[in-house]
Amino acid sequence: MDSIIFDLDGTLWDSSDVVVVGWNNVLSNYQGLVSAVTKEDLQGIMGLQVYEAGRKLFPNIDEDTQQRILRECCEVECLCLAKQGGRLYEGLEEVLKALSVKYKLFIVSNCQAGYIEAFYEYHQLQKYFIDYENPGRTGLSKGENIKLVMERNHLSSPVYVGDTEGDMKAACFAGIPFVYASYGFGEVSSYDYVIDRLDGLLGLFDE
């Protein structure tokens, strides 16, 4: 194994406390059309692309309006996260520092452009990662973005770490092993490895 590609939400951090405030500030401008969202609502769409999130959160309005509202929400959430950050999972920087000595590290998330950058800007963790990708920049699925990162960085044997069924399917699409972060937001039907806390990655591949 030469590298580890990470999901972001539910794997490296939980941004929902900050994001729910920003989203509800936007949604308050659409009273009568949509309702306020909860942290649980947001955690339920983690890992979905924006158009999928719109259909799940606002099924009773037309798709154009869904996407307009979500674009506003996404812009606000990136601004908020760049200023306030999110809740990093315990020991994140120590784990990344140790892993980066042995492996090349990457992020592939189903987020909008600017989201991973906000994670980097506030928490200053970009020094541990070589590259990142998301559908906001490429328009591709998570599996396709994993393959894109693999190809442009000449990775021969990466693994993907994530917390949802979509993450598992993306790793399968890319043809690489999947590490299930069971402490995250989702459940999965299968996995190659499982960790119940982030530092479970340390030594996992030495077994």
Side-chain angles (χ1 to χ4, degrees), residues 20 132-133 136 148 155 203:
V20 72
Y132 66 94
E133 200 52 87
L148 179 62
L155 308 182

Side-chain angles (χ1 to χ4, degrees), residues 4 38 42 52 57-58 65 67 75 86 132 138 152 158 171 194 199:
I4 303 174
T38 65
L42 292 179
E52 297 173 308
L57 288 176
F58 314 124
T65 306
Q67 296 309 300
E75 288 173 6
Y132 66 94
T138 66
R152 73 184 179 211
V194 61
D199 62 8

Side-chain angles (χ1 to χ4, degrees), residues 23-66:
W23 275 49
N24 282 330
N25 284 337
V26 172
L27 298 180
S28 67
N29 297 321
Y30 294 91
Q31 288 182 357
L33 193 60
V34 296
S35 301
V37 295
T38 65
K39 280 178 56 179
E40 291 71 27
D41 291 330
L42 292 179
Q43 290 171 352
I45 63 167
M46 296 297 186
L48 300 181
Q49 292 205 30
V50 173
Y51 73 92
E52 297 173 308
R55 292 173 183 171
K56 185 169 183 178
L57 288 176
F58 314 124
N60 298 320
I61 60 177
D62 65 272
E63 190 163 320
D64 286 343
T65 306
Q66 289 174 6

Side-chain angles (χ1 to χ4, degrees), residues 18-193:
V18 172
V19 171
V20 72
V21 175
W23 275 49
N24 282 330
N25 284 337
V26 172
L27 298 180
S28 67
N29 297 321
Y30 294 91
Q31 288 182 357
L33 193 60
V34 296
S35 301
V37 295
T38 65
K39 280 178 56 179
E40 291 71 27
D41 291 330
L42 292 179
Q43 290 171 352
I45 63 167
M46 296 297 186
L48 300 181
Q49 292 205 30
V50 173
Y51 73 92
E52 297 173 308
R55 292 173 183 171
K56 185 169 183 178
L57 288 176
F58 314 124
N60 298 320
I61 60 177
D62 65 272
E63 190 163 320
D64 286 343
T65 306
Q66 289 174 6
Q67 296 309 300
R68 183 175 74 250
I69 293 172
L70 281 174
R71 280 195 298 272
E72 291 181 34
C73 288
C74 288
E75 288 173 6
V76 167
E77 80 176 24
C78 286
L79 292 172
C80 291
L81 289 169
K83 293 178 180 178
Q84 301 177 56
R87 180 176 66 84
L88 302 181
Y89 287 120
E90 183 178 356
L92 175 59
E93 183 160 13
E94 291 81 2
V95 170
L96 293 176
K97 184 176 182 179
L99 290 174
S100 65
V101 173
K102 298 176 66 175
Y103 308 107
K104 298 176 182 178
L105 306 183
F106 305 85
I107 296 176
V108 173
S109 174
N110 259 356
C111 59
Q112 70 274 22
Y115 189 83
I116 297 173
E117 293 90 335
F119 167 74
Y120 284 164
E121 182 174 341
Y122 185 84
H123 295 289
Q124 293 296 301
L125 295 173
Q126 59 267 41
K127 59 189 172 184
Y128 299 111
F129 296 97
I130 292 173
D131 194 7
Y132 66 94
E133 200 52 87
N134 59 72
R137 296 202 308 183
T138 66
L140 300 175
S141 70
K142 181 171 281 188
E144 290 169 323
N145 279 325
I146 291 172
K147 291 186 74 172
L148 179 62
V149 165
M150 289 169 59
E151 290 165 3
R152 73 184 179 211
N153 292 282
H154 310 291
L155 308 182
S156 59
S157 55
V159 299
Y160 188 71
V161 184
D163 66 307
T164 68
E165 183 77 2
D167 292 333
M168 182 274 290
K169 291 179 178 178
C172 184
F173 177 88
I176 63 176
F178 174 62
V179 181
Y180 172 42
S182 65
Y183 54 83
F185 302 140
E187 297 181 355
V188 302
S189 55
S190 66
Y191 52 79
D192 298 288
Y193 305 91

